[in-house]
Amino acid sequence: MRLITVLVTIVILTQAVTLNVSAQSISQNFDRYYKALYHDREMNGNIAVAEKGRVIYQQTFGLRDEANQKPNNEQTQFELASISKLFTATAILQLKEQGLLDLDTPFAHYFPEFPYPTITVRHLLAHTSGLPDIESVIDPLLTANPDKQFTIHDDLQNVLLYSRNHDLKFQPGEQWGYSSLGYHLLGLLVEKLSAQTLANYTRDHIFKVAGMAHSYVQTSMAQKSEANRAKNYQYNNHFEMKLQWADTLSDWREWTYNLALETGGGGIISTTEDMLRFDKALKAGKLIKQKTFEEACTPYRLNNGQPAQPFDLTYCGLGWFIFKDTSCGKIIWGSGANPGTISFFASNINKNQCMIVLRNRKCNSFNDLKALDMLCGKAVPYHSSLAFTYAQDLYKNGRVYADDRLEKLCTDTTNYIITESDLNRASLEFRRAGLKSQALAIAETHIKLFPKSTGAFKDYALTLAEYGQKEKAITAYQKALELNPNDHESGDALNKLTGKTKP
């Protein structure tokens, strides 16, 4: 009997050591990766990673208030942006469990004035309603009333106005099409069925239950100035990298002011620690039943029986995105973006892992998707954008220096990567700034590095045309069509340049 006890003790200790080593390895990989991002100005905010309910990595980076040099800390509160939709989905599913609604009942059953009678609650949850995103509905209204702040209580009337001149983008259930507007309407439904404001319902039935003491739904602009609230920043472009407070930028006023009090699709403020509590409460069945949670994390089936697929690697459930690849476990996720903020939430259901990244500086959100491999124990290298490095060199030091350095750095594949999307972005930013020589240099480099890319020649042609080099632009578009005869954008642009169609 004593021998058995000893053996059991050895097994338990061995498992504990294995767990600790695994957690330590994951923690070290995350630390290396996000410190590299911070050094490259791609990380400013907080990250937390948990496994089996235990935090294995937690770190803060940068400042929450640049003007007053206040650093981020574990209590910093960030905008979740569209991750807020997960809370609205949870609220709807709670009401479903209480028998107060049926997911397959038309939304018009609850709001008879709603103009699209075939859209169900499930369609809204899965982004398959055919409704547009919020900008399409709001933008025309802002022209007449630029100082109005919209809330979900305006959105039903806004949809009615929109419906007078617009059909749905597609018939409900036929396709996937992202719609924050749909989630604003779901927030309105929560209010009607619960007889509470969405802010109070979320506080009482989600935040309190999950122990999220530092989370709230933004209902006042004054909340942006609270002590632990992060201010949101973004760079003006990738060649100057001047940091700007998003709330002062007129180009983004629609999001930082006019839509700042819209809830349901956004509006929740939280911390990384509170988000870990949300994940833990979901998995423990404290917020919705396990069966309901599994339904929410199952790919929605379109009318043709195919799963709703927003992106190549991802399906969509009832609020949650679901990775197709399950080799590392079933991973569900959500993300959010507003001017100056990026948020990311991922949960590995099989391994009971969770990863939260909240930023108050706009950056490349794909870096967080790449980081998910580290939950499987893999080391993920970070590569700086060579396109943006080249753009900075062009701006500061001229083309001779930039071309020479680019040639050298192209061989450094350990630290740098060059992508067409970054080259396109750099070219666009130079054009917007009216920097002709730099824009042309980027476009010429694009076709040099990617000589078989339709996109490269299309970007080159667009840049040439913008600066009046018509004949060269025609030749570039012809090359783009030679590489891809089905590229209708290039065909249309070529026809306009050659006079075959009116510009």
Side-chain angles (χ1 to χ4, degrees):
M1 184 70 179
R2 184 179 178 185
L3 177 60
I4 293 174
T5 303
V6 171
L7 288 173
V8 169
T9 302
I10 291 172
V11 169
I12 291 173
L13 289 173
T14 301
Q15 289 175 336
V17 169
T18 302
L19 175 61
N20 289 336
V21 170
S22 173
Q24 184 180 19
S25 174
I26 291 173
S27 176
Q28 289 172 342
N29 287 337
F30 270 99
D31 197 53
R32 278 192 294 267
Y33 184 79
Y34 277 93
K35 281 181 177 176
L37 262 65
Y38 175 67
H39 178 74
D40 207 26
R41 295 186 283 191
E42 285 288 339
M43 178 64 199
N44 194 94
N46 291 0
I47 176 172
V49 181
E51 186 171 68
K52 296 180 172 62
R54 184 170 64 91
V55 176
I56 60 174
Y57 180 68
Q58 191 168 24
Q59 188 59 266
T60 66
F61 296 91
L63 302 174
R64 73 174 188 272
D65 184 340
E66 292 284 338
N68 296 298
Q69 291 293 288
K70 293 181 179 179
N72 281 312
N73 56 44
E74 292 179 4
Q75 287 75 48
T76 303
Q77 296 166 303
F78 299 85
E79 285 187 36
L80 296 187
S82 285
I83 288 182
S84 304
K85 292 178 174 65
L86 301 182
F87 293 85
T88 303
T90 300
I92 288 290
L93 294 172
Q94 287 177 338
L95 296 172
K96 174 218 172 194
E97 289 183 344
Q98 296 169 31
L100 294 176
L101 65 81
D102 187 298
L103 298 186
D104 295 310
T105 295
F107 187 77
H109 171 78
Y110 306 100
F111 294 93
E113 65 271 42
F114 185 66
Y116 301 112
T118 57
I119 293 177
T120 66
V121 176
R122 191 184 300 274
H123 289 141
L124 296 174
L125 281 172
H127 295 283
T128 58
S129 67
L131 285 172
D133 211 348
I134 186 66
E135 304 98 306
S136 297
V137 174
I138 295 298
D139 285 352
L141 304 176
L142 284 177
T143 303
N145 196 352
D147 292 324
K148 181 174 176 58
Q149 284 193 288
F150 292 91
T151 72
I152 57 174
H153 304 109
D154 300 305
D155 286 331
L156 194 56
Q157 181 62 32
N158 293 340
V159 172
L160 285 167
L161 292 173
Y162 177 85
S163 69
R164 293 174 184 173
N165 299 306
H166 300 87
D167 294 326
L168 293 171
K169 293 168 61 180
F170 50 83
Q171 289 304 303
E174 284 191 354
Q175 300 178 36
W176 186 91
Y178 192 78
S179 177
S180 290
L181 174 61
Y183 269 78
H184 297 167
L185 296 173
L186 289 174
L188 201 61
L189 181 58
V190 172
E191 291 198 345
K192 181 168 186 175
L193 297 181
S194 70
Q196 285 185 283
T197 65
L198 183 61
N200 288 347
Y201 181 93
T202 309
R203 178 197 64 200
D204 294 344
H205 300 279
I206 299 179
F207 296 154
K208 285 184 178 179
V209 176
M212 300 172 67
H214 305 290
S215 301
Y216 61 90
V217 176
Q218 179 172 287
T219 56
S220 165
M221 296 297 283
Q223 291 167 320
K224 287 193 171 192
S225 301
E226 292 180 350
N228 290 321
R229 179 75 177 268
K231 293 183 183 295
N232 298 331
Y233 300 90
Q234 57 189 49
Y235 294 106
N236 62 333
N237 54 53
H238 288 90
F239 58 84
E240 287 178 302
M241 298 294 282
K242 289 182 179 178
L243 202 59
Q244 302 171 310
W245 181 17
D247 283 22
T248 65
L249 302 177
S250 59
D251 288 351
W252 294 106
R253 188 172 184 269
E254 178 177 354
W255 292 97
T256 59
Y257 178 78
N258 301 111
L259 296 174
L261 301 182
E262 283 276 16
T263 53
I268 290 181
I269 312 303
S270 190
T271 67
T272 49
E273 289 184 343
D274 270 10
M275 288 301 294
L276 290 180
R277 294 185 182 101
F278 174 61
D279 179 70
K280 192 173 182 179
L282 275 173
K283 289 172 178 171
K286 291 184 177 180
L287 298 175
I288 51 178
K289 296 175 183 177
Q290 191 62 37
K291 184 178 180 181
T292 304
F293 185 45
E294 289 173 1
E295 180 183 8
C297 302
T298 299
Y300 173 90
R301 294 283 171 179
L302 300 172
N303 295 344
N304 63 8
Q306 296 299 310
Q309 184 175 320
F311 319 109
D312 290 342
L313 304 177
T314 299
Y315 297 128
C316 184
L318 303 181
W320 278 262
F321 295 124
I322 307 135
F323 276 110
K324 291 183 184 179
D325 185 357
T326 58
S327 59
C328 188
K330 184 174 182 177
I331 298 176
I332 59 173
W333 65 283
S335 65
N338 269 340
T341 184
I342 290 281
S343 58
F344 184 75
F345 166 88
S347 182
N348 189 322
I349 296 173
N350 299 124
K351 291 190 172 186
N352 194 6
Q353 296 171 318
C354 183
M355 169 185 166
I356 308 293
V357 187
L358 304 179
R359 291 181 173 88
N360 61 316
R361 190 176 297 179
K362 199 68 173 282
C363 58
N364 185 355
S365 59
F366 288 105
N367 289 325
D368 298 325
L369 287 171
K370 296 174 187 175
L372 283 175
D373 279 347
M374 291 186 287
L375 293 177
C376 303
K378 301 176 184 177
V380 177
Y382 172 69
H383 299 91
S384 292
S385 169
L386 188 47
F388 295 149
T389 299
Y390 179 59
Q392 290 162 20
D393 286 342
L394 279 171
Y395 182 71
K396 295 175 183 177
N397 303 302
R399 184 161 187 180
V400 173
Y401 174 89
D403 284 350
D404 182 61
R405 189 162 181 245
L406 175 66
E407 186 175 349
K408 293 174 182 175
L409 294 181
C410 274
T411 62
D412 185 3
T413 55
T414 301
N415 296 303
Y416 291 92
I417 187 171
I418 193 158
T419 65
E420 290 200 71
S421 60
D422 287 351
L423 286 165
N424 280 329
R425 182 69 195 180
S427 174
L428 173 64
E429 289 177 345
F430 278 130
R431 293 200 305 272
R432 284 178 173 172
L435 298 175
K436 176 180 177 181
S437 62
Q438 290 91 340
L440 286 170
I442 289 281
E444 289 166 2
T445 298
H446 194 169
I447 62 171
K448 179 180 178 182
L449 294 175
F450 297 91
K452 295 184 179 181
S453 165
T454 298
F457 279 93
K458 187 156 55 176
D459 180 52
Y460 183 42
L462 179 65
T463 306
L464 290 166
E466 187 162 325
Y467 290 114
Q469 299 186 33
K470 180 178 176 180
E471 296 305 318
K472 287 185 177 181
I474 289 172
T475 301
Y477 275 127
Q478 288 172 337
K479 180 63 177 179
L481 286 167
E482 179 184 320
L483 291 166
N484 180 10
N486 296 318
D487 181 19
H488 300 298
E489 284 187 0
S490 292
D492 291 343
L494 181 61
N495 287 337
K496 289 179 181 179
L497 283 175
T498 56
K500 292 183 179 180
T501 60
K502 293 183 179 179

